[in-house]
Amino acid sequence: MKINSVTLNNFRNISDMILLPHDEVNVIFGQNAQGKTNILEAIWLFTGCKSFRGSKDSEFIKFNSEFSKISLDFTDKVRNKKAEIIISDKKKAFLNGVEKKGTTELIGEFYSVIFSPSHLALIKDGPNVRRKFLDTAICQLKPKYAKTLSSFRKVIAERNSLLKDVQYHSELLDVLDILDEQLAKYSSIIINERIKYINLLSQKSEEIYSGISENKEKLSIKYLCGNEELEKNDINDIYDYMISKINSSKKEDILLKSTSVGPHRDDLEIKIDNISARSFGSQGQQRSCALALKLGESEIIKDVTGENPVALLDDVMSELDEKRQDYVLNHIKERQVFLTCCDPSQVLRLCKGKSFLIESGKIKEEK
């Protein structure tokens, strides 16, 4: 997967811009609020996913403009393609001149992985962030997984509603049993897919982290069911495990009026040299962990789809020492990289690629 050109019109603070990137590393540098992240955000929208900044469509349109238009000319393993997104009162998407029903129909056409400062939450914040990361990554590769998640959430909502009344109406216990079976069914599918994904991700990310740390530190990732590692690879075994857990927690759930067992309570355990990265990792180590997870996600997309996704790295250089910065600049192989930073001295060690200065939404090629 390679971007040949990016064209932006009235996108955030950028009036008109054409970016002709290098096939390998592209560094976009400049002071804050000049438009660096806006370029990455525009590229990311062509994955068919929502903005990684949580932005509304109206926020993409430059002030005092009626519409915003972004275009991407790219090459996959088969042929050249051109995609366009036009944002006004509605958002329209086009692929090779053919209008799509929506930007979600671009999913599977252009692959990219984004790292932004917000992804430090993968290490620093609570389990919900890590579960969302897992589910989003799996959904991109397996659309049916999204339907299972939706069904699971409906069962959880119905079960929690029932738990509020069941202690006053014993006849509802039969309905609770039915919901428990559904809960175990959907839970086992979700947990099975998450464990399979983590088995792949841990291998990829641990290798990448070793490279970032020059083999001086070891990253380890485990999937925790509740508070324990579940060493089961068969979905039927996971179902039996879950139904047992659900039954044993039923009395407590009725008392608390909430479902205490299921993948909505699971987490990832991330350690550096067998010590919690969240509790004891330095800022540089935590940033390196998050980066390794995202680049590991990129490797999995490549293995599954055959396409090497474009890596979008927003402000990744901050709080990395010189050797870790060198890895990012010169050792992320076989993929096109777009990297933003404020300090131009950080790109001086770039061996192969281009660097671009951006000021007030205007870009100038430096190398």
Side-chain angles (χ1 to χ4, degrees):
M1 187 72 64
K2 184 187 75 171
I3 294 175
N4 303 311
S5 68
V6 184
T7 304
L8 309 182
N9 302 109
N10 301 326
F11 186 82
R12 289 196 180 268
N13 74 323
I14 300 171
S15 296
D16 293 287
M17 177 186 293
I18 299 176
L19 178 68
L20 302 175
H22 193 275
D23 290 354
E24 296 186 23
V25 180
N26 298 274
V27 178
I28 303 168
F29 68 94
Q31 297 302 308
N32 290 329
Q34 301 304 302
K36 301 186 299 293
T37 303
N38 296 344
I39 297 173
L40 301 194
E41 182 179 37
I43 294 172
W44 173 254
L45 292 178
F46 287 99
T47 64
C49 299
K50 295 181 179 180
S51 167
F52 59 85
R53 301 158 98 179
S55 305
K56 299 177 181 179
D57 290 350
S58 59
E59 296 174 35
F60 298 139
I61 303 174
K62 191 175 187 295
F63 187 66
N64 284 335
S65 299
E66 295 182 358
F67 71 94
S68 175
K69 179 181 178 181
I70 55 178
S71 303
L72 192 74
D73 187 291
F74 64 100
T75 304
D76 61 18
K77 60 184 178 181
V78 178
R79 59 178 178 140
N80 287 346
K81 296 180 179 180
K82 183 175 182 179
E84 292 182 336
I85 297 175
I86 299 175
I87 306 160
S88 54
D89 53 335
K90 295 182 180 179
K91 188 161 61 174
K92 297 180 180 180
F94 301 82
L95 183 66
N96 297 326
V98 179
E99 185 172 357
K100 298 295 187 178
K101 292 180 180 178
T103 54
T104 55
E105 286 200 355
L106 295 178
I107 293 175
E109 298 290 345
F110 173 75
Y111 291 102
S112 180
V113 170
I114 177 73
F115 173 90
S116 73
S118 65
H119 287 111
L120 285 174
L122 282 172
I123 312 300
K124 291 183 172 184
D125 289 2
N128 183 57
V129 178
R130 290 179 284 279
R131 289 193 297 265
K132 183 178 180 180
F133 161 70
L134 266 182
D135 292 337
T136 300
I138 297 170
C139 282
Q140 289 187 58
L141 300 172
K142 297 186 176 182
K144 289 183 179 179
Y145 182 78
K147 294 181 180 180
T148 302
L149 279 176
S150 178
S151 298
F152 167 76
R153 289 166 182 154
K154 288 178 181 178
V155 169
I156 286 288
E158 290 176 13
R159 190 176 190 269
N160 287 343
S161 178
L162 189 69
L163 287 170
K164 295 176 182 179
D165 299 321
V166 71
Q167 60 181 314
Y168 308 112
H169 303 278
S170 59
E171 67 274 11
L172 294 177
L173 287 170
D174 290 339
V175 180
L176 183 60
D177 288 339
I178 294 172
L179 290 176
D180 288 351
E181 290 179 5
Q182 293 178 349
L183 177 61
K185 172 188 172 184
Y186 295 125
S187 295
S188 61
I189 296 172
I190 292 169
I191 292 170
N192 185 51
E193 291 294 346
R194 286 180 179 177
I195 289 174
K196 287 193 293 185
Y197 189 84
I198 286 300
N199 287 341
L200 295 173
L201 183 66
S202 60
Q203 178 185 353
K204 303 288 187 184
S205 299
E206 288 167 18
E207 291 175 358
I208 292 167
Y209 190 89
S210 292
I212 295 174
S213 68
E214 296 186 310
N215 296 311
K216 294 177 181 177
E217 299 168 353
K218 179 177 174 56
L219 173 68
S220 62
I221 307 169
K222 293 181 180 179
Y223 184 77
L224 300 180
C225 252
N227 294 316
E228 61 186 32
E229 184 179 5
L230 183 60
E231 296 181 354
K232 298 181 185 295
N233 296 316
D234 183 81
I235 193 168
N236 294 319
D237 291 341
I238 297 173
Y239 175 86
D240 292 340
Y241 171 85
M242 288 307 304
I243 199 69
S244 175
K245 282 285 187 179
I246 292 167
N247 286 332
S248 63
S249 67
K250 188 174 295 187
K251 289 184 179 179
E252 181 181 359
D253 286 358
I254 291 173
L255 182 65
L256 298 177
K257 301 174 184 174
S258 179
T259 302
S260 61
V261 173
H264 61 301
R265 296 298 182 94
D266 294 350
D267 196 4
L268 292 183
E269 180 185 73
I270 302 171
K271 292 184 176 182
I272 302 172
D273 294 335
N274 292 317
I275 298 174
S276 169
R278 181 188 183 191
S279 300
F280 302 104
S282 68
Q283 291 287 337
Q285 286 175 322
Q286 291 179 341
R287 189 172 289 259
S288 297
C289 283
L291 178 60
L293 286 172
K294 297 301 293 184
L295 292 179
E297 178 189 352
S298 173
E299 289 290 335
I300 293 172
I301 291 174
K302 176 186 174 183
D303 288 349
V304 173
T305 68
E307 293 285 358
N308 220 334
V310 173
L312 306 175
L313 309 178
D314 188 27
D315 194 26
V316 70
M317 306 293 272
S318 300
E319 297 169 357
L320 294 183
D321 59 34
E322 194 170 292
K323 291 181 178 179
R324 293 175 193 244
Q325 289 180 0
D326 180 71
Y327 178 90
V328 174
L329 284 172
N330 299 309
H331 297 282
I332 300 178
K333 302 293 186 181
E334 299 179 353
R335 79 195 66 208
Q336 193 176 38
V337 178
F338 291 78
L339 181 153
T340 69
C341 63
C342 291
D343 184 1
S345 67
Q346 293 176 335
V347 308
L348 296 179
R349 297 183 307 281
L350 178 63
C351 294
K352 194 172 183 180
K354 287 182 180 180
S355 58
F356 302 86
L357 169 65
I358 185 166
E359 293 179 334
S360 301
K362 298 183 182 299
I363 201 158
K364 176 184 176 182
E365 184 176 336
E366 293 286 307
K367 179 181 174 182

